Amino acid sequence: MRLFLVKEDDRLVWVAALAHETMYAYVANTGKFHDHNALRNDYYIDRYLSYEEIGPSEARRLIADGLGTLDESDDEEPLREWRADPNPLEPADVLSMAAGYRG
């Protein structure tokens, strides 16, 4: 599993994890990583955002700083879907898997 800091211009947007062509984003509102297909498509196809590979300690710091916090009103629909996600990933598991990644 590889970790990325996702940016839109200079704005920090997500801590993301890539595993077997599935992109997960850390959503601070839920405290979990969730499958984020639009982010996957951007990574592989569109590249509107930039992706900086980071390590687990940097990801942990960004998560602790609240990166990935969405506005409850503006992002009501995606948050509802992520809160109903039957298979979210725990941050500790994602960071552990990334620590063992040797790409």
Side-chain angles (χ1 to χ4, degrees), residues 12-28:
L12 308 182
V13 182
W14 298 107
V15 172
L18 180 65
H20 309 290
E21 297 188 15
T22 300
M23 184 71 79
Y24 299 89
Y26 176 76
V27 180

Side-chain angles (χ1 to χ4, degrees), residues 56-99:
S57 60
E58 178 68 3
R60 190 174 291 108
R61 184 188 68 75
L62 292 163
I63 287 169
D65 287 348
L67 186 60
T69 301
L70 302 177
D71 183 277
E72 291 287 338
S73 297
D74 292 344
D75 299 304
E76 185 178 350
E77 181 59 31
L79 284 170
R80 183 177 15 261
E81 291 176 19
W82 282 322
R83 286 186 173 116
D85 182 356
N87 299 306
L89 301 178
E90 293 290 337
D93 295 338
V94 170
L95 299 176
S96 290
M97 287 184 275

Side-chain angles (χ1 to χ4, degrees), residues 33-48:
F33 280 86
H34 299 276
D35 187 341
H36 195 311
N37 195 55
L39 196 59
R40 177 211 176 274
N41 291 344
D42 184 75
Y43 179 79
Y44 283 111
I45 301 165
D46 301 324
R47 285 296 179 144
Y48 295 121

